Amino acid sequence: MNKVDVSNELTHLVNGTNTYHNLSVPQLVEKVLERKEGVLTASGAVRATTGKYTGRSPKDKFIVEEASIKDKIDWGTVNQPISEEVFEKLYVKVIEHLKKKNEIFVFKGFAGADVRYRLPIQVVNEFAWHNLFAHQLFIRPETDNDLENYDTKEAFTIVSAPTFKADPSVDGTNSEAFIMLSFEKRIVLIGGTEYAGEMKKSIFSVMNFLLPENNILSMHCSANVGQEGDVALFFGLSGTGKTTLSADPKRRLIGDDEHGWSNSGVFNIEGGCYAKCIGLSREKEPQIFDAIRFGSVLENVVLDDESRVPDYDNAFFTENTRAAYPIEAIDNIVKPSLAGHPNTIIFLTADAFGVLPPISKLTKEQAMYHFLSGYTSKLAGTERGITSPQTTFSTCFGSPFLPLQATRYAEMLGQKIDEHNVQVFLVNTGWTGGEYGVGSRMKLSYTRAMVQAALEGELENVETIQDNVFGLHIPLQVPGVPDEVLQPVKTWDNEDAYYKKAKELAEAFKDNFKKFSNVSEAIVKQGGPIV
């Protein structure tokens, strides 16, 4: 089967008599309830469950090995190759599967809030609630003119068929589930999994390929803007406080997860938010809590049988409970979701070893080193068999979604830091006074004070001392934070124990960094630990 055949198959499906195009939120909610795909919660949100797949399935994700992109992809365990033949045979099966359905749902919209760089996307769904998810997570057309100018040939199409189960022995997959990305055919093929997040992250993977090709840095981060127009980026893995710290009542949200940085500034890739909601409360995260209303989608959240009130503390289905809602559900936002060049970048880590400074200023080389490292730690007790903190490294704070060599993204970041004189800080929201189980978690009030000082430029010319293990530059004073908290060695009772743990983490950094064979010597020597 050639490219034209694939295109025609899709056209026939999308234009079928059983297909609904760009239904409104109320229409989609009605369909979800009519088809018994989900239920209404007390706040008016739709709750759906996803069966056995309650998170992403990285071992089932593939990129089609095509001539035009073959030499550009960073092939490996993250970007697994699949042949064009395997993709096309499975694609035909999925299309035939969907043709037999009574109803198919199509959403046409965009990825990228900056109209100069936005990508037309088309989402073809077997489930109405998946189409509602796509409607809320991607950028919605605001006028008829938006769709009149929609270029179908340029669009990337997601074809999602959760009830189609692959046969690995016949279809060449690793399991019944599959997520396959074809850059030449501009198709994402998803089957065997009901987890809606696969759609969101597939388009992010697409943008992580396309944007750098156009000299735009794609980033897995949140972004906000202050009253003076100053822009801040927050990078951090799960549990580091990215959502909490970027949701600032004094600053407007640009976006909470995916951004591009062009020659004009920063723009949100998405039109919505996909927030973890385990343990959610109005007291801790009022913006997210109040955003979950009519039109929002709750994934795998336990409800009270009678009242339909969500129990956000209940992890019966999974710890990875999620809420999807349009960014307009947040009051304090930038609309459209774009702003100027960043003034400040914050890398967040939750160091359970208790040895990284609570805040440190980074040189450009250190920024690139820590961006490539993407460090945080798993805590003892979170997984069976873990009795002490475990180091976790996720390249560029988003390794599962990077099709290109990691150094490509780091080099672009370094260039932009230089070009725009960006201040970069590493903020440790983890432990102080000892490792997990001995010390205590850094007070949120201290972390907020440090972040605020960084954002307001109060640390630009402050006196610093260099950490003698990691080489980081530690401010000697930060308003609202006791001086002794700033230098981790001073918070430990036993100095020898501190240095033992610090050197242990430093070695982990260096071991992890060995995988970057094409990094400049300056980053290796000037960016990482100095012991």
Side-chain angles (χ1 to χ4, degrees):
M1 174 168 287
N2 59 37
K3 188 173 181 179
V4 176
D5 291 328
V6 167
S7 177
N8 284 341
E9 290 283 340
L10 182 61
T11 301
H12 290 150
L13 175 67
V14 169
N15 293 329
T17 56
N18 62 338
T19 304
Y20 295 93
H21 290 263
N22 276 59
L23 292 183
S24 67
V25 167
Q27 288 173 318
L28 283 168
V29 171
E30 287 174 350
K31 282 293 180 185
V32 172
L33 300 180
E34 175 190 313
R35 293 160 54 92
K36 295 183 169 33
E37 294 176 358
V39 297
L40 277 186
T41 72
S43 69
V46 163
R47 194 289 305 266
T49 56
T50 63
K52 65 186 282 189
Y53 293 93
T54 58
R56 288 184 300 102
S57 188
K59 292 181 180 178
D60 298 311
K61 179 185 170 188
F62 303 90
I63 294 178
V64 182
E65 196 171 8
E66 296 160 322
S68 62
I69 57 99
K70 184 176 180 180
D71 295 333
K72 297 179 180 179
I73 302 297
D74 184 21
W75 300 108
T77 55
V78 171
N79 300 309
Q80 302 178 98
I82 199 87
S83 73
E84 292 184 74
E85 182 184 10
V86 167
F87 170 82
E88 288 170 357
K89 285 181 178 177
L90 195 54
Y91 177 83
V92 170
K93 288 183 179 181
V94 170
I95 295 293
E96 289 303 313
H97 172 83
L98 290 176
K99 282 181 180 177
K100 296 173 185 174
K101 298 298 174 183
N102 293 329
E103 297 177 317
I104 296 296
F105 304 90
V106 177
F107 167 77
K108 286 186 176 180
F110 306 94
D114 191 324
V115 295
R116 292 167 293 183
Y117 312 115
R118 72 183 185 182
L119 174 73
I121 60 171
Q122 179 175 237
V123 187
V124 181
N125 293 117
E126 179 181 359
F127 290 170
W129 84 263
H130 275 185
N131 204 245
L132 177 61
F133 175 93
H135 184 285
Q136 303 296 40
L137 258 292
F138 299 119
I139 295 175
R140 297 156 289 282
E142 294 187 351
T143 64
D144 291 340
N145 192 47
D146 280 345
L147 286 181
E148 284 173 11
N149 295 328
Y150 184 93
D151 189 342
T152 303
K153 291 181 180 178
E154 286 298 309
F156 256 84
T157 298
I158 296 173
V159 179
S160 174
T163 65
F164 179 91
K165 311 292 185 184
D167 180 345
S169 64
V170 174
D171 297 316
T173 59
N174 289 335
S175 76
E176 65 185 4
F178 52 92
I179 305 95
M180 295 183 179
L181 171 53
S182 166
F183 281 101
E184 288 190 358
K185 297 174 179 63
R186 303 180 84 80
I187 288 171
V188 178
L189 188 65
I190 301 175
T193 172
E194 298 181 25
Y195 182 65
E198 297 287 12
M199 294 184 285
K200 164 190 160 71
K201 290 304 185 185
S202 292
I203 292 299
F204 187 41
S205 297
V206 169
M207 295 298 272
N208 279 327
F209 179 86
L210 296 179
L211 290 180
E213 292 285 282
N214 288 303
N215 199 34
I216 299 168
L217 174 60
S218 54
M219 305 174 294
H220 191 205
C221 68
S222 60
N224 63 26
V225 59
Q227 295 170 355
E228 304 299 320
D230 55 299
V231 175
L233 306 180
F234 296 79
F235 292 84
L237 303 177
S238 180
T240 59
K242 179 164 64 87
T243 301
T244 302
L245 292 168
S246 61
D248 185 335
K250 296 179 181 178
R251 302 176 66 85
R252 291 181 296 157
L253 186 70
I254 302 168
D256 82 330
D257 197 48
E258 303 172 5
H259 291 84
W261 186 353
S262 72
N263 290 331
S264 303
V266 170
F267 61 88
N268 192 356
I269 289 174
E270 301 179 292
C273 305
Y274 190 43
K276 286 188 78 169
C277 50
I278 192 73
L280 178 66
S281 69
R282 179 176 274 121
E283 292 72 29
K284 287 192 294 184
E285 293 174 297
Q287 288 187 324
I288 296 174
F289 191 93
D290 291 334
I292 302 171
R293 48 186 190 253
F294 182 78
S296 301
V297 178
L298 285 178
E299 220 174 24
N300 297 315
V301 172
V302 173
L303 304 180
D304 180 85
D305 288 339
E306 293 184 11
S307 69
R308 301 288 172 86
V309 171
D311 181 358
Y312 292 120
D313 294 323
N314 193 326
F316 174 78
F317 295 111
T318 177
E319 286 274 341
N320 188 37
T321 54
R322 293 275 178 172
Y325 49 86
I327 195 167
E328 291 84 1
I330 302 289
D331 292 330
N332 199 23
I333 64 168
V334 178
K335 191 67 178 173
S337 303
L338 64 163
H341 296 290
N343 305 78
T344 310
I345 294 174
I346 307 285
F347 293 154
L348 295 165
T349 182
D351 173 34
F353 292 96
V355 295
L356 286 179
I359 187 166
S360 47
K361 296 179 68 174
L362 304 184
T363 64
K364 182 186 78 171
E365 290 75 21
Q366 288 174 328
M368 293 171 73
Y369 185 96
H370 284 275
F371 183 61
L372 284 167
S373 297
Y375 164 72
T376 194
S377 48
K378 289 182 181 178
L379 302 182
T382 57
E383 294 181 13
R384 290 179 63 189
I386 295 182
T387 56
S388 62
Q390 303 290 301
T391 54
T392 300
F393 295 97
S394 183
T395 306
C396 305
F397 299 96
S399 61
F401 323 115
L402 304 181
L404 305 175
Q405 288 278 347
T407 49
R408 176 89 174 269
Y409 306 97
E411 286 164 3
M412 292 182 74
L413 179 70
Q415 290 167 4
K416 289 188 176 293
I417 288 171
D418 265 350
E419 186 178 348
H420 302 288
N421 193 28
V422 186
Q423 296 286 306
V424 187
F425 297 87
L426 179 66
V427 172
N428 175 21
T429 62
W431 266 252
T432 180
E435 65 179 306
Y436 175 76
V438 178
S440 58
R441 190 85 190 243
M442 185 67 61
K443 287 184 179 179
L444 181 57
S445 60
Y446 291 167
T447 300
R448 287 194 190 279
M450 288 183 272
V451 169
Q452 182 179 347
L455 296 183
E456 294 183 357
E458 295 179 14
L459 304 182
E460 196 163 339
N461 299 309
V462 73
E463 186 180 355
T464 63
I465 185 172
Q466 188 174 30
D467 181 275
N468 55 11
V469 176
F470 299 99
L472 301 166
H473 302 278
I474 305 170
L476 291 178
Q477 290 186 316
V478 175
V481 183
D483 293 351
E484 62 273 14
V485 171
L486 298 171
Q487 298 181 54
V489 67
K490 291 186 176 182
T491 67
W492 282 56
D493 292 334
N494 186 320
E495 191 172 300
D496 290 339
Y498 163 80
Y499 280 112
K500 181 180 178 182
K501 275 293 170 190
K503 289 173 181 176
E504 184 181 324
L505 180 57
E507 286 304 314
F509 266 99
K510 288 189 277 190
D511 286 346
N512 173 71
F513 215 78
K514 289 175 183 175
K515 65 190 176 191
F516 303 115
S517 56
N518 56 343
V519 174
S520 73
E521 195 173 334
I523 296 175
V524 177
K525 288 190 173 180
Q526 300 172 35
I530 57 177
V531 295

